[in-house]
Amino acid sequence: MATHTNDHYHPPGLQHQFENMKQQEESVSIGMWMFLAQEIMFFGGMFTVYLLYRWKFPMAFAAGSNHLDAFLGGLNTLVLIVSSLTMALTVYYAQKGNRMMQVVMIVLTMIFGTVFLGVKAVEYTEKYNKGLIPFANWNHKTPKGEERKVATSLIETKVSAAENKDAEHTAEHEYKSSTGVFEWKDLSLPQMAEKEGFLTEWEKVGYYSDGKLNEQKFESKVRIFFWIYFCMTGLHGLHMIVGLGLMLWLLWKAWLGSYTAEYYSPVEMAGLYWHFVDIVWIFLFPLLYLLGRHFMHGGH
Amino acid sequence: MQKNWIPLFPEQASTFAWQIDALYFYLILISVFFTVLIVLGIAVFAVVYREKEKFATPEEIHGSMALEIAWSFIPFVISMTIFLGGAVIFYEQYKIPTDGMEIYVVGKQWMWKAQHSTGRREINELHVPVGRKVKLTMTTEDVLHDFYIPAFRTKADVVPGRYSYLWFEPTKAGRYRLYCAEYCGLNHSGMGGWVTVMEQKDFDNWLAGETTNQTPVESGKDLFTNKLGCASCHAGGKDQRGAKLEGLFGEDVKLVGGQTVKADEDYIRSSILNPSGQIVEGYSPIMPTFKGQVTEEQLTHLVAYIKSLGGNAATSPASPMTAPAAPMTSPDAKKDSSKDAKDKGGK
Amino acid sequence: MSDNHEETHEHMGIPKYIGIFLALVFGTILTYFTALTDLDTMLFAGANTLLALIIAFTKMTLVILFFMHVWWNGTLIKLTAVASFFWLAIMFAFVMQDYLTRGFGVFNK
Amino acid sequence: MDATVNNKIGTAVVDRTVEKTRTHYLNNGHSLSSWLLTKDHKRIAILYLITVSAFFLLGGVYAATIRLELLTPASDLLESGTYNKVFTQHGIIMVFFFLIPVVPAILGNFLLPLMIGAKDLALPKINLLSWYFYMTGGGLTLFALIQGGVDTGWTFYTPYSTTFSNGYVMLAGLGIFVNGFSSILTGLNFIVTVHTMRCPGMTWFRLPLFVWAHYATSLVMVLGTPVIAITILLMALERVAHIGIFDPSIGGDPILFQHLFWFYSHPAVYIMILPGMGVISEIIANYSRKKIFGYEFVAFSSLAIAVFGFLVWGHHMFVSGQSMYAGLVFSFLTMVVSVPSAIKMFNWTATMYKGSVSYDTPMLYAIGFMGLFLIGGLTGLFLGAMGLNVHLTDTYFIVAHFHYVMVGGTVLAYLGGLHMWWSKITGKTYSEFWGKISALLVFVGFNLTFFPQFILGYMGMPRRYASYSEELQVLNVFSTAGASVLGIGLVLPLIYLTYSLFFGEKAKSNPSMLPGLEWRTQSPPPTLNFDETPVVTWEAYEFGEENGLDIEKARREATV
Ligand code: HEA
Ligand code: HEA
Ligand code: CUA
Ligand SMILES: [Cu+2]
C-alpha cells in the first residue's frame, strides 16, 4: 500500500509523526484506553469513599437510597443503554462508510444523552424542592402550608405506583424544608435495624448519643450519603456534558463526510468514551438507588 | 538537661527505648556494610578501570544469573530481619497493658491537657512516677496532633473523634521534652512541654498538691501564662478571645441578660470555676471550666494575679506554651491564632 | 488499507448489537426488581448487594467486550482494561484492610 | 524559515547539506507562536526546561528561607505563621512543580522519541496541552501564593486543611489538580509512544533503560495521579461545603484522606526517582563504555518498583491510627519494594567493572547519585521498620531521608542527564571545569546540609517546627551552612550553562561515539529528528564494531 513509499503521500487524516494509518490508529486507540484507565482511577477514588461509608453506615445509606427516585434512575439507565447502542451503531456505520446513517445515529445518541441529563435535572429539582440538597441554603424554602403540594408531586406518585406498595409510607414523610437547610427526621430504618440487631459497630458509634439513637447524628450520616450521591452523579453528569460536546463536533465532521471506511478512528474513540460513561452509570444506578431498598420493601 | 551517654544521642528513659536503639544500631550496621561495599566497589572500579584510551571498546559482559540471584536474595533476607525486628517492637509498643496507670490526654491547638485519675489536671506538663506502666488515653478537640516523647522513643497521633492509646514505663527520674509531632497549624512548634518523671513518693506528694516558694502573684502569673494556659485567650490585645482582664477588678461588669455585677474575688473565682454561669456581654461562652484543675490554693493565686492587673493597662504576657527553657513562640503569632480560631469557629 | 479493520466489524452485525442491547435492558430490569425483594432474609445477609453487583459486572463486561470491541482488540488493550480494574481493586482492598482490622476506638459523642 | 514549516516533512532533509545554515529544531521558526504553539517534542521540552527551572529557583528561595530561620532556635526571622507557609510552599513547589515533571517532561520529552527513532511523540498536541496544564496549574498555585499562601504542609492533612487553615488552600489545590492532568497526559503519551513509535529493529529489549524507566514511570502517572486529583477535589469540597467525608466533626474520617493521599503520593515518589534511575543507567553505561550489567534485571526492576510501589503507601501512616494488621502488611511490602532498588544499585556498580570509566561531569553526578541515593534508600528501610518508625516519623530523620532520595537522587540524576545531553539539546558545549566544580560543591554541600538532620531526627527534633529546642542548635547551624554551599553549587550550572548557550563551542553530533540513536542525528537535531528513519541492528549499549559507528576514524582524529 501507499504507506511505505517515500513520496510522502498523505492518506487523509494521517499526522506527520506517523508512518502509516495503522500506526496512527493503534496509537490513538492505546492512548484512549490509557485515558480510560485514568478515568477509572479518577472515579475510583469516589467509589472508594462510597465503599468505606456504605460499609460503615449501611442504614444511613439505605435511608438515603430510599429517597432517590429509583424509577427515574432505572429509566435513565435504559436511556443510557439505548444511547450506547446508537453510539455503537454510529461506529458500525462509520466502518461501513455510511454517512447518512452515521449522522442519524449521532443525532439519536445526542438526543438520548440530553434526555438523560433532562431526567437528572428533574431529579435534582425534586431534591431541591424536598430539601435534600446537603449544601446549606441551596434548598427550596417551602412556605408553610404548601408542603402537601411538594410531597405529592408527580414523581412521588409515579414511584409509589411503580412500586405499588407502601403508599402510606410515602405519605408519611413529607420532605420539605422551611429553612433551606438539609434535614432528616426519619429514624425508622435505624430503629428497625436496632430492633433486629443488625446495626454495625460503626453505626452504634455513629448514630448513638447517650445510648439512644440520635436524630442529629443520623442526619449527618445521611447527609454524607447525599453528598456522595451529588458528587458522583455530578461528576458523571459533567462527563455526559463533555460527551455531548464531543458528539456535536463528531456530528459536524460526519456531516462534512470526514469519516470513511478508511478513516473513522475519531468516531471510534468518541464511542469508547461514551461507553465508558455508560459503564460508570451502570454501577452508580444500583449502588446509589437500589442497595438497601429491600429494607423498606421487603417484609422486615 | 540532657545527660547523654553518647554525644548527640537522646536519653533512654523507657523500658523499650533500648530495643529501638538496638534496632537502630542494627540498621546502621547494615547501612555501613552496604555503603562501604558499594562505595568501595565504585571507587576501585573507577580507578582500576579508568579510561586509558579514548573510545575504547571494553569486553562485553552481559550479566550473571548467579550474581543477580545473590544480590536479590540476600537483601531480601536482610530486609525481612528488619521487618520482623520492627514488627516485634511495634507490637510491644502498641500492645496496651491493662494494668497501667491511666492518664487522659487531650490535645488542642496548641496545648496538651492531661488529667490524672485523681482529677488533677495539668497543661503542657505530664508528671509520672518512675517504674510504673503508664497508659495514656488520648484524643483531640480540633485537628490532628501527635504526642511525642523522644526519650521514651514513642509517639502516637491523636485523631479527632476517636481515642488513641500510648503506653510507656519510665525507667529514670528526670525531665524530658514533650513535643507535638503532627503539624497542627500556627503554633505547632510551641505545642510542647515537659514530662517529669518522679520517684513514686514524690509523685504521690505531687499528686496531692504542690508547694512553691513563689509569691501568690508570681505563682498566679505562672499559672495564668504557663500552666493553665489562660493567656491563650486572655493574652491582652485587640483580638483576644476572652474578656479583657486588665483593670477589671473592682469594676462593674455587664453580663449577658442585662444584669451588672461587681467584679470582686468571688466573681473572679466563680468565673474560673463556672464560667458559663455569668457570661460577659459581647463574648461567647467558650471559656472551659477549670473546676478540678485548679486547687483552692492556686485559685487564690490566680485571683491575686488578676487583682494585680488592676489599673495598669496593657500587659501582654508571654505565650502560654513557652516551656521553661525553650524560646518557642512570639506573642504576635498568638494573636493571629486566636483570630484564626474565631473566624473558623472551631467546631 | 481496509484490511486493517476487517476483524472489528465483520464480527458485529446489527442483530448482534441489538442482542447485546436487549441483554443490557434485561439486566437493568432484573436488577431493579430484585432490589425491591428482600433477598437478605430469603437467602443470606448481603445477597441483595451481591446480586446487584453481579448484574452490574455482567453488564459492564458486555459493554466492554462488544460495544467497545475489546473482544477483537489485541492483548494490550485487554490487559489495560483488566489492569485498571485490578488497580482499583488494590485501592479498595488495601484501604479496607485497615478498616476491617481496626479496633473500635471511636467514642460515643 | 517560515514558522509553519516545522510540521512539514522534508524541511530538514533539504537543508542538511548546507552545514552553516542547517535548519534544526531551534532555528526552525523564531516567532513566539512558533514556540508557544509548537508540537515539536523538543521545543516543548525546552518550554518545560525554562518553566521548571523557574519553579526550582522559587522552591530554592523558600528552602534558603527555611534554613535561615532555623539558624537560631527561636522563631526570630519569621513568625511561625509565615514559616509554616514557607515550608508548605517549598514542599508543594518542589514536589508538584519541580520534581515530578523535571526528568520526564524535560529529558524524557526530548529524548524518548530520539532514543526510539521516532519523529515525535505519538500525540504531539496532547504533549503541548500537557504543558499548558502545567502552566495553568503552576499559575493558579503561584496566584495562591501571592494572595497569601498556604500553610497546610504539602500533605494537606485534614481536618486542618479543610476546617482550620485560613490559607488559600482551595486555589493551591486547584493548581495541583490541574497540574495532575499535565502529568497524566505526559505519561499517557509516553506509553503510547513506546508501544507504537519504535523504529524498525528497535525491539523491547534493545530499548535504552532510560525508556524502560520512563515507561514504568508513565504507568504510575496514569494509574496514580487521578486519585490525587479526586482527593484534592473532595478536600476542596469539604472546605467550601463541609461534605463530611474527611471532617470528623460532622462524621467524616481524616484517616481516609491519608489513605487516598498516599495512594498517590507514595507511588509519586517513584514517579520522581524512576526517571532519575533511567538517567543513571544511561550515564553509567555510556561513561563506562559498557553494556549495562544485567539489562533485563534493571529493566524489570523498574516495572517491579512501579507495580509494588502501589502497595506500600501505609508506611506513612504507622502511627496515624491505622490498624496494626494493616501496618504489618505495609511494612512487609515496603521491605519487598526496596529489593528492586537494591538490584539496580548492584548492577550499576557491576557495570563499571572492566569498563573504560571517564570522569566527565555527568559521571561525577552519577557517582554522587549512587552514594546519596544509597544512604537515602537505606534510611528508608529505617523508616519502613515499624518499631523504629514510631520514634522517627515526623522528625528531621524523615526530612533527611527524603532529601537524600529526592535531592541526592533525582536532582543529581537530572543534573547529570542535563550535562550529558546538553550538547545534544543546545548544540553547544559547557565548561568541563566549572561542571566538575559545581558537582563537587553540590555533593559536599548536600551532605553537610542533610546528614546532620539524621542525627537531629534521632535526637527527636520534630519537623515543621519554626522554633526548636536550644540543645539542637549546633547541628542546625551545620545544616544551614551546608545549604549555602549547596545553593552555590546549584546556581553555578545556571550560570555556566547559560553562558555556553552564547559563547560555548559548537558541539559535534556524537563527540563520545556513543551508540544510542539520539547520538546518530545532528546536534541540535532537525525538527523531525532524523533525516531518514533509522534501522536498528545492534543491541542496547553496543560499543563494539556492530554498532555501525566509525570508531576507528574517531580514534584517529582524537589522536591527531
Ligand atoms: C524520590 C523519592 C523517594 C524514594 C525513592 C523513597 C524511597 C523509599 N522510602 Fe521514602 N519518602 C519520600 C520520598 C522517597 N522515598 C518522601 C518525600 C517522604 C516523606 C513524605 C512526607 O511525609 O512529607 C518519604 C517517607 C518515607 C516513609 C514514611 C516515614 C514517615 O512519615 O513515618 C517511609 C517508611 O517506610 C519511607 C520508606 C522508603 C523506602 C523503604 C524506600 C525504598 O524505595 C528505598 C530503596 C533503596 C534502597 C534500599 C537502597 C539500595 C539498596 C541496597 C544498596 C542494598 C541493601 C538493601 C537491603 C538490605 C534491602 N519513606
Ligand atoms: C524536590 C524536592 C525538594 C528539593 C529539591 C528540596 C531542596 C531543599 N530543601 Fe526541602 N523539602 C521538600 C522537598 C524538597 N526540598 C519537601 C517535600 C519538604 C516537606 C514540606 C512539608 O513538610 O510540607 C521539604 C522540607 C524541607 C525542610 C524541613 C522544613 C520543616 O519541616 O520545618 C528543610 C529544612 O531544612 C528543607 C531544606 C531544603 C534545602 C536546604 C534544599 C536545597 O537542596 C535547595 C537548594 C537550592 C537552592 C538554594 C536554590 C538555588 C539557589 C538560589 C536560587 C540562590 C538564591 C537564593 C537566595 C538569594 C536566598 N526542606
Ligand atoms: Cu499539635 Cu502540632
Ligand atoms: Cu512512601
Side-chain angles (χ1 to χ4, degrees):
Chain A
M1 309 239 79
T3 49
H4 280 294
T5 53
N6 291 327
D7 59 0
H8 302 295
Y9 159 74
H10 266 56
L14 179 62
Q15 290 170 341
H16 73 97
Q17 71 273 26
F18 297 112
E19 296 292 335
N20 55 38
M21 283 311 270
K22 183 156 183 289
Q23 190 187 23
Q24 170 164 339
E25 273 164 22
E26 228 181 284
S27 300
V28 173
S29 122
I30 296 173
M32 191 64 203
W33 275 98
M34 285 299 144
F35 180 76
L36 294 185
Q38 179 277 128
E39 287 280 35
I40 288 172
M41 293 310 282
F42 188 70
F43 277 101
M46 278 305 320
F47 278 102
T48 311
V49 170
Y50 171 90
L51 171 71
L52 180 65
Y53 281 100
R54 190 186 133 77
W55 171 76
K56 276 186 176 179
F57 306 118
M59 284 305 124
F61 271 53
S65 259
N66 270 289
H67 288 85
L68 296 184
D69 195 323
F71 177 78
L72 286 187
L75 188 71
N76 248 352
T77 315
L78 293 179
V79 168
L80 263 196
I81 289 176
V82 180
S83 82
S84 249
L85 175 68
T86 56
M87 188 65 236
L89 291 179
T90 312
V91 178
Y92 173 81
Y93 285 116
Q95 286 168 337
K96 287 266 182 278
N98 185 335
R99 186 177 77 108
M100 232 19 245
M101 283 310 280
Q102 254 182 77
V103 170
V104 170
M105 284 303 159
I106 294 176
V107 169
L108 279 178
T109 311
M110 290 182 71
I111 291 177
F112 285 114
T114 316
V115 168
F116 177 90
L117 286 176
V119 173
K120 211 74 240 143
V122 171
E123 286 188 69
Y124 280 9
T125 317
E126 188 216 356
K127 302 290 166 295
Y128 171 81
N129 283 330
K130 284 183 176 175
L132 290 179
I133 294 183
F135 196 51
N137 294 321
W138 277 25
N139 286 302
H140 184 64
K141 293 193 179 113
T142 314
K144 288 259 178 313
E146 282 187 37
E147 292 102 350
R148 274 245 67 84
K149 218 161 74 198
V150 174
T152 54
S153 70
L154 182 69
I155 301 146
E156 204 60 25
T157 346
K158 229 178 4 185
V159 176
S160 42
E163 292 164 358
N164 207 6
K165 52 169 75 166
D166 263 13
E168 100 281 5
H169 166 74
T170 320
E172 189 183 317
H173 314 291
E174 288 167 9
Y175 290 95
K176 76 264 166 187
S177 171
S178 54
T179 54
V181 175
F182 179 85
E183 289 175 1
W184 194 273
K185 302 266 176 268
D186 176 12
L187 286 183
S188 53
L189 258 179
Q191 273 158 1
M192 177 204 78
E194 184 184 32
K195 224 169 27 230
E196 310 214 348
F198 59 82
L199 282 178
T200 66
E201 288 296 313
W202 282 93
E203 288 183 298
K204 283 181 195 149
V205 173
Y207 303 160
Y208 281 54
S209 186
D210 297 331
K212 287 198 304 281
L213 276 173
N214 177 304
E215 207 172 74
Q216 240 171 352
K217 291 192 76 175
F218 188 68
E219 177 190 287
S220 72
K221 307 303 178 293
V222 180
R223 204 167 153 274
I224 293 180
F225 170 82
F226 275 99
W227 263 118
I228 291 178
Y229 165 78
F230 279 106
C231 287
M232 292 183 107
T233 56
L235 218 54
H236 177 264
L238 225 58
H239 277 78
M240 287 293 295
I241 293 172
V242 171
L244 284 177
L246 275 179
M247 288 298 136
L248 207 60
W249 169 73
L250 217 57
L251 181 64
W252 172 243
K253 296 290 251 188
W255 180 257
L256 294 180
S258 315
Y259 304 124
T260 59
E262 276 77 43
Y263 173 65
Y264 59 86
S265 74
V267 187
E268 215 179 348
M269 296 309 117
L272 287 181
Y273 178 83
W274 194 268
H275 294 308
F276 169 77
V277 178
D278 182 22
I279 287 174
V280 173
W281 186 260
I282 285 178
F283 280 94
L284 288 186
F285 173 55
L287 291 182
L288 293 174
Y289 289 79
L290 296 181
L291 292 189
R293 239 159 223 277
H294 62 279
F295 291 126
M296 283 298 213
H297 300 277
H300 268 300
Chain B
M1 195 66 247
Q2 311 278 42
K3 294 167 297 246
N4 293 330
W5 53 281
I6 300 179
L8 301 179
F9 201 76
E11 238 171 323
Q12 286 182 338
S14 74
T15 45
F16 44 62
W18 71 268
Q19 295 175 329
I20 287 151
D21 290 345
L23 185 60
Y24 182 59
F25 285 118
Y26 173 59
L27 268 149
I28 289 182
L29 211 71
I30 294 174
S31 303
V32 168
F33 173 74
F34 280 106
T35 311
V36 167
L37 188 75
I38 290 193
V39 169
L40 220 64
I42 294 175
V44 167
F45 295 161
V47 173
V48 174
Y49 304 110
R50 67 186 175 277
E51 186 175 45
K52 284 158 193 142
E53 161 204 25
K54 228 163 162 38
F55 312 129
T57 42
E59 94 182 77
E60 271 187 19
I61 305 172
H62 287 265
S64 147
M65 199 56 175
L67 272 178
E68 299 288 350
I69 290 176
W71 63 45
S72 314
F73 187 70
I74 295 172
F76 177 74
V77 171
I78 295 177
S79 74
M80 283 304 108
T81 63
I82 300 171
F83 162 68
L84 285 177
V88 167
I89 294 173
F90 186 83
Y91 182 71
E92 191 97 333
Q93 279 167 312
Y94 282 95
K95 189 189 60 187
I96 307 299
T98 46
D99 56 345
M101 177 186 121
E102 289 217 38
I103 301 177
Y104 289 90
V105 174
V106 177
K108 113 188 229 304
Q109 277 175 330
W110 293 275
M111 59 171 101
W112 291 108
K113 300 190 284 188
Q115 184 176 20
H116 293 263
S117 50
T118 58
R120 170 112 202 211
R121 296 185 194 220
E122 41 186 339
I123 285 181
N124 289 336
E125 291 270 344
L126 186 69
H127 288 75
V128 287
V130 72
R132 262 188 58 199
K133 287 181 181 155
V134 178
K135 171 189 170 193
L136 305 183
T137 304
M138 308 189 294
T139 187
T140 159
E141 290 177 10
D142 36 46
V143 300
L144 299 171
H145 304 278
D146 187 301
F147 194 85
Y148 177 33
I149 310 163
F152 295 170
R153 308 282 189 279
T154 192
K155 65 159 78 77
D157 274 15
V158 291
V159 183
R162 54 180 283 193
Y163 286 123
S164 319
Y165 305 94
L166 193 67
W167 82 277
F168 49 79
E169 183 183 333
T171 52
K172 217 163 44 170
R175 265 162 84 69
Y176 306 104
R177 287 212 183 260
L178 159 68
Y179 291 115
C180 171
E182 186 65 78
Y183 178 65
C184 54
L186 188 72
N187 206 5
H188 164 61
S189 59
M191 183 170 167
W194 296 89
V195 176
T196 310
V197 179
M198 312 160 110
E199 296 300 334
Q200 183 71 46
K201 72 174 188 328
D202 295 340
F203 178 73
D204 291 339
N205 280 342
W206 174 85
L207 210 54
E210 69 185 350
T211 51
T212 59
N213 47 13
Q214 292 169 305
T215 68
V217 172
E218 278 168 4
S219 135
K221 178 169 182 180
D222 189 33
L223 288 167
F224 192 86
T225 51
N226 297 325
K227 301 231 174 70
L228 296 174
C230 316
S232 66
C233 297
H234 295 288
K238 224 172 74 239
D239 290 323
Q240 58 179 337
R241 285 189 285 179
K244 183 163 175 282
L245 299 183
E246 293 87 29
L248 164 73
F249 193 74
E251 298 296 307
D252 283 342
V253 182
K254 265 211 173 126
L255 299 182
V256 170
Q259 323 127 263
T260 314
V261 292
K262 194 166 165 25
D264 53 12
E265 278 99 341
D266 271 346
Y267 169 75
I268 293 176
R269 189 172 178 280
S270 66
S271 287
I272 298 170
L273 294 180
N274 186 17
S276 48
Q278 299 156 308
I279 308 295
V280 188
E281 202 179 68
Y283 293 91
S284 41
I286 52 166
M287 175 167 161
T289 172
F290 286 82
K291 201 185 271 170
Q293 205 170 338
V294 286
T295 59
E296 281 299 321
E297 189 190 2
Q298 288 173 324
L299 258 178
T300 57
H301 297 165
L302 276 173
V303 173
Y305 172 66
I306 293 173
K307 262 162 105 174
S308 79
L309 294 174
N312 55 358
T315 39
S316 175
S319 154
M321 269 61 92
T322 312
M328 290 280 192
T329 178
S330 66
D332 293 11
K334 203 173 60 278
K335 260 181 261 155
D336 280 348
S337 79
S338 32
K339 188 164 105 241
D340 177 344
K342 210 192 313 185
D343 287 347
K344 296 290 162 194
K347 56 165 187 179
Chain C
M1 298 284 330
S2 57
D3 47 83
N4 294 334
H5 325 291
E6 216 162 16
E7 333 177 76
T8 327
H9 56 96
E10 286 311 302
H11 288 94
M12 282 301 278
I14 292 191
K16 275 197 185 163
Y17 277 122
I18 305 275
I20 303 292
F21 167 71
L22 289 178
L24 293 174
V25 171
F26 173 73
T28 308
I29 295 172
L30 186 69
T31 192
Y32 183 83
F33 284 103
T34 50
L36 301 182
T37 327
D38 189 358
L39 299 177
D40 280 15
T41 32
M42 274 161 65
L43 299 170
F44 54 90
N48 272 95
T49 312
L50 191 67
L51 183 67
L53 284 179
I54 289 177
I55 295 176
F57 265 103
T58 317
K59 284 163 71 182
M60 172 187 83
T61 314
L62 288 178
V63 174
I64 290 188
L65 284 184
F66 301 106
F67 281 5
M68 295 167 91
H69 300 160
V70 167
W71 185 275
W72 297 279
N73 277 135
T75 26
L76 178 65
I77 305 276
K78 288 193 178 113
L79 197 70
T80 310
V82 173
S84 34
F85 285 101
F86 181 69
W87 246 252
L88 197 55
I90 289 179
M91 180 152 73
F92 290 168
F94 276 64
V95 170
M96 288 316 284
Q97 74 160 355
D98 171 14
Y99 287 91
L100 289 169
T101 55
R102 281 237 195 114
F104 289 88
V106 191
F107 55 83
N108 221 344
K109 214 162 56 175
Chain D
M1 283 265 104
D2 184 345
T4 55
V5 152
N6 63 352
N7 281 340
K8 300 233 172 77
I9 292 186
T11 321
V13 181
V14 174
D15 286 299
R16 77 162 185 274
T17 43
V18 198
E19 188 53 40
K20 274 213 180 103
T21 57
R22 186 173 72 81
T23 311
H24 48 76
Y25 82 101
L26 285 170
N27 62 12
N28 186 356
H30 293 288
S31 64
L32 194 61
S33 67
S34 78
W35 281 94
L36 293 183
L37 297 178
T38 182
K39 276 167 251 142
D40 182 351
H41 66 103
K42 298 182 290 303
R43 286 196 161 202
I44 295 172
I46 300 290
L47 293 178
Y48 268 116
L49 176 65
I50 295 165
T51 45
V52 169
S53 304
F55 274 108
F56 176 59
L57 287 184
L58 181 57
V61 171
Y62 280 124
T65 320
I66 294 178
R67 284 317 324 165
L68 278 179
E69 159 60 40
L70 294 181
L71 201 53
T72 58
S75 60
D76 34 19
L77 177 68
L78 306 173
E79 281 186 3
S80 44
T82 319
Y83 179 81
N84 294 344
K85 288 182 179 165
V86 168
F87 74 69
T88 301
Q89 290 156 15
H90 167 69
I92 290 177
I93 286 181
M94 284 298 200
V95 169
F96 294 107
F97 298 100
F98 169 62
L99 208 59
I100 286 178
V102 67
V103 181
I106 299 175
L107 297 177
N109 239 336
F110 194 94
L111 293 168
L112 199 88
L114 284 168
M115 282 182 166
I116 63 175
K119 291 188 200 131
D120 202 326
L121 284 173
L123 310 166
K125 281 188 209 153
I126 300 270
N127 197 16
L128 182 63
L129 183 65
S130 89
W131 183 71
Y132 277 100
F133 274 136
Y134 174 76
M135 289 308 283
T136 316
L140 283 167
T141 304
L142 282 182
F143 186 60
L145 305 195
I146 292 163
Q147 287 295 298
V150 210
D151 68 340
T152 57
W154 81 281
T155 47
F156 291 103
Y157 272 15
T158 57
Y160 182 72
S161 62
T162 56
T163 328
F164 290 84
S165 166
N166 43 16
Y168 287 78
V169 181
M170 298 269 298
L171 257 181
L174 193 64
I176 291 167
F177 178 85
V178 173
N179 180 53
F181 289 97
S182 155
S183 175
I184 292 170
L185 292 183
T186 304
L188 181 157
N189 216 339
F190 285 177
I191 293 179
V192 177
T193 306
V194 175
H195 273 286
T196 63
M197 305 290 283
R198 283 169 287 124
C199 69
M202 182 54 90
T203 60
W204 280 89
F205 288 101
R206 283 176 178 173
L207 288 174
L209 287 165
F210 182 85
V211 177
W212 274 99
H214 275 77
Y215 185 79
T217 310
S218 304
L219 288 176
V220 185
M221 284 173 162
V222 169
L223 291 168
T225 317
V227 178
I228 193 77
I230 191 80
T231 310
I232 296 271
L233 202 66
L234 285 174
M235 184 201 74
L237 267 176
E238 184 80 78
R239 205 173 151 80
V240 272
H242 304 289
I243 59 184
I245 286 173
F246 298 139
D247 185 352
S249 65
I250 43 179
D253 188 337
I255 296 184
L256 176 63
F257 174 85
Q258 297 178 22
H259 276 301
L260 292 175
F261 180 85
W262 291 115
F263 179 87
Y264 164 74
S265 292
H266 180 78
V269 311
Y270 294 120
I271 294 181
M272 302 176 212
I273 198 69
L274 278 170
M277 291 172 154
V279 171
I280 295 302
S281 300
E282 293 297 311
I283 297 180
I284 300 267
N286 282 317
Y287 285 82
S288 306
R289 300 192 69 78
K290 253 186 89 245
K291 177 166 267 157
I292 198 108
F293 195 89
Y295 176 95
E296 290 83 1
F297 287 89
V298 180
F300 281 120
S301 63
S302 291
L303 289 181
I305 290 176
V307 171
F308 284 103
F310 271 100
L311 307 176
V312 307
W313 78 78
H315 66 208
H316 296 269
M317 300 165 59
F318 287 145
V319 302
S320 72
Q322 82 180 344
S323 81
M324 192 184 289
Y325 167 82
L328 285 172
V329 172
F330 282 126
S331 173
F332 172 77
L333 289 166
T334 301
M335 295 302 155
V336 172
V337 79
S338 60
V339 172
S341 301
I343 295 178
K344 277 179 193 282
M345 287 296 299
F346 292 123
N347 278 303
W348 287 328
T349 313
T351 302
M352 291 167 69
Y353 174 66
K354 289 198 170 171
S356 169
V357 184
S358 52
Y359 311 121
D360 297 330
T361 309
M363 190 62 177
L364 293 190
Y365 276 114
I367 291 176
F369 172 100
M370 302 258 281
L372 300 183
F373 176 74
L374 182 65
I375 296 178
L378 287 165
T379 49
L381 297 177
F382 287 54
L383 299 172
M386 301 167 86
L388 257 181
N389 183 283
V390 172
H391 177 54
L392 294 175
T393 185
D394 277 318
T395 65
Y396 264 74
F397 197 91
I398 309 282
V399 176
H401 157 69
F402 66 69
H403 283 93
Y404 261 84
V405 277
M406 300 209 290
V407 184
T410 311
V411 174
L412 256 60
Y414 163 68
L415 287 172
L418 194 64
H419 283 87
M420 175 167 175
W421 286 291
W422 185 252
S423 67
K424 185 53 62 184
I425 295 173
T426 63
K428 299 291 172 63
T429 50
Y430 56 88
S431 151
E432 260 308 314
F433 172 76
W434 284 107
K436 283 181 176 144
I437 296 280
S438 91
L440 216 68
L441 281 181
V442 168
F443 186 80
V444 172
F446 178 85
N447 280 302
L448 192 56
T449 312
F450 292 107
F451 201 84
Q453 294 186 0
F454 283 125
I455 304 168
L456 281 174
Y458 204 77
M459 287 175 75
M461 175 172 170
R463 64 192 282 202
R464 296 169 173 175
Y465 262 31
S467 58
Y468 54 89
S469 314
E470 267 155 2
E471 65 264 24
L472 303 172
Q473 186 174 4
V474 179
L475 289 168
N476 270 295
V477 171
F478 272 105
S479 184
T480 302
S484 335
V485 179
L486 177 58
I488 295 170
L490 287 171
V491 171
L492 272 182
L494 202 68
I495 298 169
Y496 66 77
L497 288 181
T498 316
Y499 177 89
S500 79
L501 281 184
F502 302 101
F503 309 105
E505 255 177 68
K506 255 213 167 86
K508 286 194 248 164
S509 329
N510 192 358
S512 312
M513 299 312 276
L514 301 177
L517 281 182
E518 77 272 26
W519 298 108
R520 291 165 194 255
T521 182
Q522 299 95 327
S523 302
T527 299
L528 289 180
N529 293 349
F530 298 96
D531 297 343
E532 286 151 36
T533 307
V535 177
V536 179
T537 55
W538 57 91
E539 300 303 311
Y541 310 109
E542 173 65 71
F543 287 88
E545 306 283 284
E546 300 85 357
N547 70 10
L549 294 169
D550 197 348
I551 296 182
E552 284 310 319
K553 180 160 159 261
R555 280 198 191 124
R556 256 178 282 121
E557 278 169 12
T559 47
V560 170

